[in-house]
């Protein structure tokens, strides 16, 4: 369940994910084979033509090499994907919390309790208020979690009980579960419109999305520190994220014609990336490196890692035809 304008091969190209990733995984484990046009025009099937085994140990993992390659090694033209069965029963809910720290701590505890949550999405109080007003759902202006559970009807009741107890322990609001399709779709439509809701906070301004991912155990500290940084920097940057994966985003809304504000935005993004790296995380969980995170990629992988990437790029694309300047 990615963003509304995502394409399958585009998702594979950045190694992206969506709201269901905490239960079903990101693109990387769900791509079984790719058809790729190489820089010299040859057609490559990364797992062999027509192959789609659940697992394989034959040679290098070419599929994973191209997942996340951001168009620098070839054109992805077809993807063979792993399918997951639809659950017998589904229930979704919204919980409000007294603080950002409490909401993220609740996320960590839900995962540590091995509740097989399918989706667990975080909105800080700014994002919750913006989404509520933009969608007409009227969410409280408070740190918020959107949760969805999948399973049999019997197992779902047990999951709901566990989740309610953990939410209560962290000061969260009482939960009302939505099981009807229309009500659940309305909830997730609100979440998917978060980008537009954030832009509506400052009409006429530009949006820039950050994308760090950290180990779950470090997530509460990093989110709280980032929230404090946003406030201290006087930046409009509502927070939203796939916190079940340790992945969160600040949607920075700023006046690109104001050099001083643009510089503050750049400085914040660099601090955020390095904060994630210091916590044992990554500078990008799903959006990719592109141009803006090349320096952070070197800090993340080290010189040896970057040299290895360059060697692979030179071997497959010696004339630097594919997306030149990106990533490396």
């Amino acid at each position: 369940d990615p963003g509304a304008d995502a394409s399958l091969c585009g998702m594979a190209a950045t190694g992206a994910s969506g709201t269901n990733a905490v239960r079903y995984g990101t693109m990387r484990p769900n791509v079984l084979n790719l058809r790729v046009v190489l820089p010299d025009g040859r057609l490559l099937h990364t797992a062999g033509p027509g192959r789609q085994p659940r697992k394989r140990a034959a040679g290098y993992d070419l599929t994973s090499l191209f997942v996340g390659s951001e168009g620098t090694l070839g054109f992805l033209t077809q993807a063979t994907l792993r399918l997951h069965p639809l659950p017998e029963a589904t229930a979704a809910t919204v919980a409000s919390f007294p603080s950002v720290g409490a909401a993220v701590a609740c996320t960590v505890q839900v995962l540590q309790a091995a509740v097989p949550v399918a989706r667990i999405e975080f909105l800080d109080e700014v994002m919750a208020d913006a989404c509520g007003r933009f969608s007409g759902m009227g969410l409280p202006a408070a740190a918020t979690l959107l949760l969805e559970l999948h399973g049999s009807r019997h197992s779902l009741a047990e999951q709901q009980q566990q989740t309610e107890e953990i939410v209560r322990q962290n000061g969260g609001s009482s939960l009302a579960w939505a099981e009807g399709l229309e009500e659940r779709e309305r909830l997730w439509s609100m979440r998917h419109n978060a980008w537009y809701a954030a832009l509506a906070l400052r009409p006429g301004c530009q949006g820039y999305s950050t994308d760090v991912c950290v180990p779950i155990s470090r997530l509460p500290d990093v989110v709280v520190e980032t929230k404090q940084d946003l406030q201290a920097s006087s930046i409009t940057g509502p927070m939203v994220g796939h916190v079940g994966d340790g992945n969160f985003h600040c949607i920075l809304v700023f006046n690109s014609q104001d050099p001083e504000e643009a510089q503050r935005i750049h400085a914040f993004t660099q601090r955020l990336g390095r904060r994630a790296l210091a916590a044992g995380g990554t500078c990008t969980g799903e959006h990719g490196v592109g141009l803006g995170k090349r320096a952070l990629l070197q800090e993340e992988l080290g010189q040896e890692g970057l040299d290895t990437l360059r060697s692979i790029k030179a071997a497959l694309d010696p004339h630097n035809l594919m997306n030149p300047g990106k990533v490396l």
Side-chain angles (χ1 to χ4, degrees):
D1 183 33
D5 60 349
S7 67
L8 292 177
C9 288
M11 292 283 288
T14 58
S17 60
T19 57
N20 277 302
V22 64
R23 174 74 174 267
Y24 301 105
T26 64
M27 284 300 289
R28 197 173 299 277
N30 283 296
V31 177
L32 301 178
N33 202 346
L34 286 169
R35 186 178 67 190
V36 182
V37 179
L38 296 173
D40 61 6
R42 289 179 298 158
L43 194 63
L44 168 70
H45 295 264
T46 56
R51 311 287 176 200
Q52 47 188 316
R54 289 180 61 87
K55 61 180 183 179
R56 60 190 298 275
Y60 299 149
D61 189 350
L62 295 178
T63 302
S64 288
L65 174 63
F66 282 90
V67 173
S69 60
E70 299 186 45
T72 61
L73 301 178
F75 290 114
L76 311 188
T77 63
Q78 186 181 82
T80 302
L81 305 178
R82 186 187 308 275
L83 298 181
H84 299 270
L86 292 172
E88 177 189 351
T90 302
T93 192
V94 180
S96 299
F97 293 83
S99 69
V100 163
V104 181
C106 179
T107 299
V108 174
Q109 291 171 29
V110 166
L111 297 172
Q112 289 176 338
V115 178
V117 62
R119 311 194 212 192
I120 183 164
E121 296 284 307
F122 164 73
L123 313 173
D124 74 351
E125 71 280 3
V126 181
M127 190 79 262
D129 184 50
C131 283
R133 285 189 282 120
F134 187 81
S135 66
M137 290 189 69
L139 285 181
T144 300
L145 291 181
L146 312 180
L147 301 104
E148 186 168 281
L149 305 174
H150 295 175
S152 67
R153 299 203 176 278
H154 175 74
S155 68
L156 203 63
E158 184 179 353
Q159 292 177 41
Q160 287 172 300
Q161 184 179 358
Q162 283 181 282
T163 302
E164 289 169 4
E165 178 62 27
I166 296 170
V167 168
R168 187 164 53 249
Q169 289 171 359
N170 286 278
S173 59
S174 58
L175 302 183
W177 294 93
E179 298 190 15
L181 178 61
E182 185 176 342
E183 199 173 353
R184 286 189 288 107
E185 285 185 341
R186 187 163 170 253
L187 174 68
W188 293 113
S189 175
M190 176 194 69
R191 164 62 182 88
H192 286 314
N193 285 323
W195 172 261
Y196 305 106
L199 292 181
L201 293 173
R202 294 183 66 183
C205 286
Q206 181 176 335
Y208 181 97
S209 180
T210 67
D211 169 43
V212 296
C213 187
V214 299
I216 294 295
S217 61
R218 297 298 308 276
L219 186 62
D221 291 341
V222 173
V223 168
V224 169
E225 290 170 16
T226 301
K227 183 70 175 175
Q228 293 169 344
D229 193 353
L230 284 166
Q231 293 169 339
S233 304
S234 300
I235 290 174
T236 301
M239 300 174 70
V240 60
H242 315 307
V243 284
D245 297 317
N247 184 202
F248 70 92
H249 316 283
C250 302
I251 301 178
L252 309 176
V253 187
F254 69 105
N255 180 4
S256 59
Q257 303 305 309
D258 181 343
E260 188 276 332
E261 186 176 12
Q263 177 56 37
R264 278 191 288 121
I265 293 293
H266 175 74
F268 170 81
T269 62
Q270 297 301 298
R271 288 195 303 274
L272 175 58
R274 293 189 171 99
R275 184 179 299 122
L277 296 181
T282 175
C283 65
T284 173
E286 59 179 359
H287 293 170
V289 173
L291 292 171
K293 294 186 176 180
R294 289 179 298 178
L296 291 171
L297 178 66
Q298 179 161 359
E299 294 177 31
E300 181 170 330
L301 296 182
Q303 192 59 51
E304 294 77 11
L306 208 60
D307 287 345
T308 302
L309 293 186
R310 288 196 174 106
S311 296
I312 295 170
K313 168 73 169 171
L316 291 174
D317 185 16
H319 301 296
N320 197 25
L321 301 175
M322 308 300 297
N323 223 1
K326 299 293 180 68
V327 183
L328 302 174

